[in-house]
């Protein structure tokens, strides 16, 4: 969907802490940006193949799945690719059972048993809305662009991970923390969108509900550091509805407000360094970008965790949050009205309506954040 719920996130006074080492100005300035070669909406090697209808169980969905997995298999062969499939009856009279396929790609530090590794987790959904009144609906912000941003992220940090984890460099490796080894996994969810025209409890979030349940019931061995693959998630960052101009991203979960503030801090620093192209002061800002610009994007940066009380948005983070996973929901929503970007669930949510400066800025921001979480300063 996602739809606003009236349930406010429980105000925990606890916040999770995991290590975070911010990138230097120099490293921020050197981060690769999504460019015309990768993100052109017609020819970009990463983004263009995602800008097609991707309704679960259709050939369009299969083609996009193949695009994502062949991108990793071809360009990033050290990343492990997994599929998780399930079948559900969707609430549309007379429809056959529908197959859903989540894609999980991951990269772990070497020489450590998988059940002793925690994983920074980022996710976006690759399915697109099925609505008889929106034939050919693309879902560019929902969530083709967020999927492309995750692929850009993986490509941008891959060589740095190799340098950090290369056994040959171990002697001079000051950042490798073997007491708390952390890897990374990216989840491309299927079946986020609902099928029925009215809200039903068991419609939507098909892929995320099944994956969260499976990762909690499949226990790790007895003496493992973590109880399950779910327990091993240090932080679950969900990207959704990103790619429109002037986003507003509230902070929903007190427990991850510290991570939210790291993102907010990166936005501020990248603007100071003129590294955000959607910024009116940036050298590369277009005429249009100089007008009507609103920031910060992270509107709750000045709040403390205790003050967070935004109504949460029903999305793929919910099944994970319900099981105690610390989640950070990065979604463009007006917290006053609950409104999503204007193109949301309309035929205008296509490649032509993406704000490419904003999409590129998201690529840089997310890469900078993940680099900080994984301690990649000095390895890029
Ligand atoms: C390694 O991680 C553990 C657990 O997060 C932390 O207590 C410890 O201080 C870290 N060590 C170094 C050298 O960063
Ligand atoms: C890793 O897991 C094994 C169980 O397979 C356990 O015996 C071992 O102590 C763990 N290692 C660390 C460093 O926690
Ligand atoms: C990083 O850049 C900001 C903005 O230009 C500047 O204020 C700050 O002093 C710089 N920090 C360092 C360590 O150079």
């Amino acid at each position: 969907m996602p739809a606003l719920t009236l349930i406010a996130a429980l105000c925990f006074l606890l916040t999770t802490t995991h290590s975070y080492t911010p990138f230097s100005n120099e490293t921020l300035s050197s981060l690769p940006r999504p460019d015309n070669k990768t993100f052109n909406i017609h020819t970009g090697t990463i983004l263009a193949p995602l800008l097609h209808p991707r309704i679960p169980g259709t050939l369009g969905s299969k083609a996009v799945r193949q695009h994502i997995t062949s991108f990793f298999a071809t360009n990033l062969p050290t990343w492990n690719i997994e599929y998780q499939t399930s079948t559900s009856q969707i609430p549309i009279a007379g429809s056959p059972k529908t197959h859903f396929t989540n894609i999980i790609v991951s990269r772990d530090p070497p020489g450590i048993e998988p059940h002793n590794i925690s994983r920074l987790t980022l996710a976006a959904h690759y399915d697109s809305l099925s609505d008889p009144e929106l034939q050919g609906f693309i879902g560019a912000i929902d969530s083709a662009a967020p999927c492309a941003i995750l692929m850009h992220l993986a490509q941008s940090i891959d060589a740095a991970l190799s340098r950090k984890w290369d056994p040959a460099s171990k002697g001079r490796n000051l950042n490798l923390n073997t007491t708390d080894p952390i890897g990374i996994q990216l989840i491309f969810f299927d079946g986020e969108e609902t099928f029925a025209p009215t809200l039903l409890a068991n419609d939507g979030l098909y892929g995320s509900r099944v994956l969260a349940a499976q990762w909690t019931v499949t226990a790790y061995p007895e003496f493992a550091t973590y109880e399950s693959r779910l327990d091993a998630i240090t932080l679950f960052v969900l990207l959704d509805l990103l790619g429109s101009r002037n986003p507003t991203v509230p902070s929903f979960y007190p427990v991850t407000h510290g991570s939210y503030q790291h993102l907010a801090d990166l936005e501020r620093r990248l603007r100071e360094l003129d590294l955000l192209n959607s910024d009116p002061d940036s050298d590369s800002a277009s005429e249009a970008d100089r007008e009507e610009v609103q920031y910060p994007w992270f509107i709750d940066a000045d709040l403390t965790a205790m003050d967070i009380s935004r109504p949460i948005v029903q999305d793929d983070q919910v099944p994970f949050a319900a099981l105690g996973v610390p989640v950070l929901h990065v979604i463009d929503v007006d917290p006053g009205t609950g409104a999503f970007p204007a193109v949301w669930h309309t035929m205008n949510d296509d490649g032509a309506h993406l704000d490419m400066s904003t999409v590129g800025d998201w690529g840089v921001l997310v890469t900078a954040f993940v680099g900080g979480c994984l301690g990649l300063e000095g390895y890029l």
Side-chain angles (χ1 to χ4, degrees):
M1 243 290 274
L4 266 189
T5 68
L6 297 174
I7 315 157
L10 279 180
C11 187
F12 299 112
L13 299 182
L14 292 170
T15 53
T16 51
T17 50
H18 50 87
S19 62
Y20 180 84
T21 311
F23 275 157
S24 63
N25 283 354
E26 197 185 0
T27 301
L28 288 180
S29 307
S30 73
L31 290 179
R33 270 190 85 81
D35 59 14
N36 194 48
K37 182 170 164 285
T38 51
F39 273 55
N40 181 287
I41 61 168
H42 304 292
T43 57
T45 50
I46 290 179
L47 181 58
L50 294 165
L51 295 172
H52 297 278
R54 316 172 291 284
I55 296 171
T58 64
L59 287 175
S61 165
K62 186 177 176 190
V64 164
R65 201 155 53 242
Q66 278 171 351
H67 165 57
I68 294 170
T69 54
S70 75
F71 171 83
F72 281 91
T74 308
N75 303 300
L76 306 170
T78 57
W79 292 63
N80 186 42
I81 301 170
E82 298 163 82
Y83 298 97
Q84 196 237 15
T85 60
S86 59
T87 306
S88 287
Q89 184 64 58
I90 61 170
I92 298 291
S95 64
K97 291 202 163 179
T98 302
H99 299 285
F100 298 96
T101 307
N102 297 320
I103 307 163
I104 305 115
V105 293
S106 57
R107 200 172 163 194
D108 287 339
I112 298 161
E113 291 145 300
H115 50 256
N116 288 342
I117 292 173
S118 65
R119 295 194 188 91
L120 175 66
T121 303
L122 292 100
H125 73 89
Y126 76 88
D127 64 302
S128 62
L129 179 68
S130 168
D131 181 335
E133 287 168 18
L134 297 174
Q135 295 291 337
F137 173 82
I138 300 292
I141 64 167
D142 188 13
S143 253
C147 288
I149 290 162
L150 293 185
M151 293 161 78
H152 170 78
L153 156 75
Q155 190 159 48
S156 303
I157 64 170
D158 185 56
L161 288 174
S162 296
R163 281 191 278 272
K164 178 168 169 146
W165 291 338
D166 177 2
S169 70
K170 228 171 194 163
R172 59 175 179 83
N173 191 336
L174 302 174
N175 280 344
L176 187 61
N177 188 340
T178 47
T179 64
D180 185 21
I182 179 167
I184 179 166
Q185 64 192 350
L186 309 178
I187 306 172
F188 299 88
F189 284 120
D190 199 3
E192 187 269 346
E193 300 284 4
T194 55
F195 289 87
T198 54
L199 265 187
L200 298 171
N202 271 339
D203 196 13
L205 315 184
Y206 290 92
S208 53
R209 283 187 277 139
V210 172
L211 190 69
Q214 185 181 310
W215 278 4
T216 190
V217 298
T218 313
Y220 276 176
E222 190 178 2
F223 296 107
T225 311
Y226 301 97
E227 287 174 16
S228 64
R229 188 151 174 192
L230 194 94
D231 182 46
I233 297 176
T234 45
L235 175 68
F236 178 102
V237 183
L238 179 67
L239 310 182
D240 202 359
L241 305 185
L242 304 181
S244 289
R245 200 165 150 66
N246 291 336
T248 53
V249 180
S251 182
F252 300 96
Y253 296 92
V255 73
T256 55
H257 191 59
S259 296
Y260 177 93
Q261 283 172 318
H262 289 145
L263 272 168
D265 192 52
L266 282 169
E267 181 195 356
R268 186 186 54 74
R269 291 181 58 211
L270 288 165
R271 284 189 199 286
E272 277 178 17
L273 293 165
D274 276 350
L275 293 171
L276 295 189
N277 286 3
S278 62
D279 195 295
D281 297 331
S282 153
D283 291 341
S284 41
S286 65
E287 279 305 312
D289 286 337
R290 289 175 209 278
E291 296 158 16
E292 297 172 35
V293 77
Q294 291 163 28
Y295 61 86
W297 294 355
F298 293 90
I299 53 176
D300 289 337
D302 294 335
L303 299 184
T304 64
M306 279 169 62
D307 297 325
I308 303 301
S309 62
R310 303 290 194 192
I312 62 157
V313 180
Q314 281 292 334
D315 205 345
D316 285 322
Q317 92 286 13
V318 167
F320 289 81
L323 292 166
V325 174
V327 306
L328 178 58
H329 195 194
V330 180
I331 184 169
D332 181 1
V333 58
D334 182 322
T337 62
F340 298 125
V343 297
W344 176 73
H345 285 193
T346 72
M347 292 306 287
N348 277 346
D349 188 8
D350 57 11
H353 288 84
L354 286 172
D355 186 74
M356 293 317 293
S357 305
T358 301
V359 173
D361 289 350
W362 278 117
V364 173
L365 253 171
V366 170
T367 302
F369 175 74
V370 168
C373 293
L374 297 180
L376 296 183
E377 176 67 19
Y379 295 99
L380 238 63

